[in-house]
């Protein structure tokens, strides 16, 4: 792990990394899919910091760690370019604009929120966000539900969420535990160990996990 | 207070698999569920967060932090939310690039993805109709209006491939007309 030994070349990279992601930050609207294209353009095409082939590694890491795919990708590229300091520079860069924008938006709203029409507009937006969540749920379901166990897991988890106050920690730890146990048994009995739905999508599309928003 | 905010969102950040919308249900359970903020205020915060660029979850963390303890609270909550991702991605990038080739990791995600699906569906239900259920006004004009807009948005996104931002703008107009 590159931690202590920061070379002077890496040190000079830090402001550049910060600025590159500062520019990407505001364009992370709409989440995963749209943002990957922006990052690829800035980091691969414009600055030549990474090769297109490395994008696959980035997506794999960014998708397996918790958190938004935008912040995770920034951390990955920043780390590749400038070690831990680079990762911090990239994450700060991509976070600062959205941090400022959401605070400004919220302040503007609290200034106007006594107007009935502003509240009505926000209610409309609330409904739209619910629609966006449903679209994300649909995409995630298509990528995750394909055999009896996955359907049962999703149904059981939804029932737990709706009917109990059990902490979600147990679900997030329990799902992988069940998955690993079942796959372990299937493997030892020489059964099929498919862990992903059969995909008709091309390699390129499969590389961009649009369900991570 | 700042430390408390940091810890709450650090915990959420550690579990934030599946990105923004799945995480909204975690945040809701940790904040509105424990009475830290009202469910109606949570819906407002979620709607505002959905309008801004960036992850809806991180944006909500920022706003909840700001509401509870001003700018320092916003910084504490946002940092808490992002720090676990930063640490884990650096560790993964350093040691386990080819993680996805291992069967154990793929099996873990095989089990995790249905859970994330459930979390996102739950987010839609509770974020969408939590306040109305709580106040006993689930079956009213308000819910009907919401369903109308929501259905229209789904049509716009799925059939007409409209950009999410355009959908949000149109639904704001629809909100003004209906409510």
């Amino acid at each position: 792990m590159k931690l202590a030994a920061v070379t002077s070349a890496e040190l000079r990279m830090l402001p550049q990394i910060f600025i590159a992601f500062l520019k990407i930050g505001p364009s992370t609207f709409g989440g995963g899919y749209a943002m990957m294209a922006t990052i690829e353009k800035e980091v691969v095409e414009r600055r030549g910091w990474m090769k297109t082939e490395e994008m696959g590694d980035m997506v794999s890491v960014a998708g397996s760690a918790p958190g938004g795919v935008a912040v995770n990708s920034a951390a990955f590229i920043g780390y590749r370019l400038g070690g831990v300091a680079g990762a911090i520079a990239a994450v700060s860069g991509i976070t600062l604009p959205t941090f400022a924008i959401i605070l400004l938006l919220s302040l503007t709203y609290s200034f106007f929120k006594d107007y009935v029409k502003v509240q009505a507009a926000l209610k409309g937006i609330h409904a739209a966000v619910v629609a966006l969540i449903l679209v994300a749920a649909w995409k995630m379901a298509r990528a995750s539900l394909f055999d009896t166990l996955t359907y049962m897991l999703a149904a059981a988890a939804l029932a737990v969420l709706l009917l109990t106050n059990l902490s979600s920690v147990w679900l997030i730890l329990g799902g992988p535990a069940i998955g690993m146990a079942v796959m372990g048994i299937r493997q030892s009995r020489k059964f099929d160990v498919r862990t992903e739905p059969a995909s008709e999508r091309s390699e390129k599309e499969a590389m961009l996990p649009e369900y991570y928003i | 207070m700042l430390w408390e905010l940091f810890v709450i969102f650090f915990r959420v950040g550690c579990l934030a698999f599946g990105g923004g919308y799945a995480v909204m249900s975690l945040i809701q359970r940790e904040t509105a569920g424990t009475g830290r903020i009202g469910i109606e205020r949570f819906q407002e915060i979620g709607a505002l967060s959905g309008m801004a660029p960036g992850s809806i979850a991180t944006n909500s963390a920022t706003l909840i932090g700001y509401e509870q303890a001003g700018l320092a609270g916003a910084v504490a909550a946002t940092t808490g939310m992002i720090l676990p991702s930063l640490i884990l991605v650096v560790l993964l990038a350093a040691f386990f690039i080819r993680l996805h080739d291992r069967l154990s990791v793929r099996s873990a995600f095989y089990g995790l993805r249905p859970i994330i699906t459930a979390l996102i569906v739950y987010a839609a239900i509770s974020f969408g109709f939590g306040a109305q259920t709580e106040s006993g006004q689930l079956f009213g004009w308000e819910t009907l209006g919401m369903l109308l807009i929501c259905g229209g948005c789904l049509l716009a996104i799925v059939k007409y491939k409209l950009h999410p931002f355009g959908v949000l703008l149109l639904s704001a107009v629809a909100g003004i007309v209906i409510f």
Side-chain angles (χ1 to χ4, degrees):
Chain A
M1 201 163 118
K2 297 184 266 179
L3 185 66
V6 182
T7 64
S8 60
E10 278 180 352
L11 210 58
R12 261 180 283 129
M13 278 295 275
L14 293 182
Q16 288 185 43
I17 298 173
F18 179 77
I19 288 168
F21 283 98
L22 200 65
K23 276 162 59 187
I24 295 173
S27 70
T28 57
F29 192 91
Y33 191 81
M35 203 251 348
M36 281 300 170
T38 320
I39 286 192
E40 188 166 1
K41 212 165 163 188
E42 180 75 20
V43 174
V44 179
E45 283 174 31
R46 263 205 65 215
R47 295 181 187 255
W49 280 346
M50 271 185 25
K51 297 196 192 80
T52 314
E53 302 90 81
E54 289 175 288
M55 291 288 288
D57 280 349
M58 182 188 86
V59 172
S60 155
V61 168
S64 29
V69 79
V71 168
N72 290 356
S73 308
F76 182 86
I77 296 168
Y79 177 74
R80 276 290 180 84
L81 294 170
V84 172
I88 294 171
V91 169
S92 320
I94 204 163
T95 309
L96 270 180
T98 52
F99 182 82
I101 290 170
I102 186 64
L103 279 184
L104 277 177
L105 191 69
S106 159
L107 287 178
T108 317
Y109 171 71
S110 61
F111 197 70
F112 291 109
K113 76 172 171 187
D114 292 331
Y115 293 90
V116 181
K117 287 299 163 196
V118 173
Q119 280 186 3
L122 198 72
K123 272 182 194 161
I125 289 166
H126 174 235
V129 172
V130 174
L132 291 179
I133 300 178
L134 284 173
V135 172
W138 168 245
K139 284 179 180 168
M140 193 67 214
R142 264 201 333 186
S144 63
L145 309 182
F146 63 95
D147 58 13
T148 322
L149 182 71
T150 45
Y151 276 105
M152 274 167 53
L153 270 178
L158 189 61
V160 166
L161 284 166
L162 286 173
L163 303 174
T164 73
N165 273 324
L166 192 74
S167 168
S168 322
V169 180
W170 301 114
L171 295 175
I172 286 170
L173 294 178
I178 293 174
M180 285 165 90
V182 169
M183 282 301 165
I185 294 169
R186 279 192 204 167
Q187 195 184 23
S188 69
R189 295 191 178 175
K190 306 265 187 293
F191 283 161
D192 179 27
V193 284
R194 197 153 57 85
T195 54
E196 266 148 51
S199 165
E200 315 103 52
R201 293 187 301 168
S202 69
E203 183 99 348
K204 173 87 176 161
E205 266 181 82
M207 211 188 81
L208 300 164
E210 52 182 317
Y211 48 86
Y212 290 105
I213 307 234
Chain B
M1 182 64 160
L2 290 181
W3 178 245
E4 215 175 295
L5 279 169
F6 176 80
V7 171
I8 289 177
F9 285 104
F10 188 84
R11 203 163 50 207
V12 171
C14 288
L15 300 169
F17 292 98
Y21 296 130
V23 185
M24 285 305 275
S25 31
L26 303 185
I27 297 180
Q28 179 162 7
R29 282 169 95 86
E30 288 275 338
T31 57
T34 56
R36 188 163 274 272
I37 59 169
I39 176 88
E40 272 182 47
R41 181 65 190 138
F42 181 80
Q43 290 187 341
E44 258 180 22
I45 284 177
L48 287 169
S49 301
M51 263 199 300
S55 155
I56 187 173
T58 313
N59 288 344
S60 300
T62 306
L63 287 188
I64 292 169
Y66 184 77
E67 177 156 308
Q68 304 257 300
L71 197 58
V75 174
T78 311
T79 314
M81 189 78 188
I82 288 173
L83 206 55
S85 311
L86 181 64
I87 295 170
L88 275 162
V89 169
V90 166
L91 288 177
L92 288 172
F95 300 116
F96 308 104
I97 288 283
R98 289 276 158 211
L99 209 62
H100 259 269
D101 296 346
R102 296 188 197 182
L103 182 66
S104 60
V105 175
R106 282 193 286 124
S107 312
F109 275 94
Y110 163 83
L112 181 59
R113 277 191 297 259
I115 306 288
I116 293 172
T117 308
L119 280 171
I120 303 179
V121 173
Y122 176 74
I125 298 171
S126 63
F127 172 73
F129 307 99
Q132 287 79 352
T133 315
E134 213 163 74
S135 62
Q137 291 169 328
L138 185 58
F139 303 101
W141 289 112
E142 194 122 310
T143 311
L144 186 68
M146 251 195 75
L147 286 175
L148 272 177
I149 296 180
C150 192
C153 292
L154 283 177
L155 196 71
I157 298 169
V158 175
K159 194 152 178 227
Y160 300 105
K161 313 268 180 224
L162 209 63
H163 189 270
F165 195 69
V167 174
L168 290 175
L169 282 182
L170 284 180
S171 61
V173 176
I176 293 175
V177 174
I178 295 180
F179 296 120

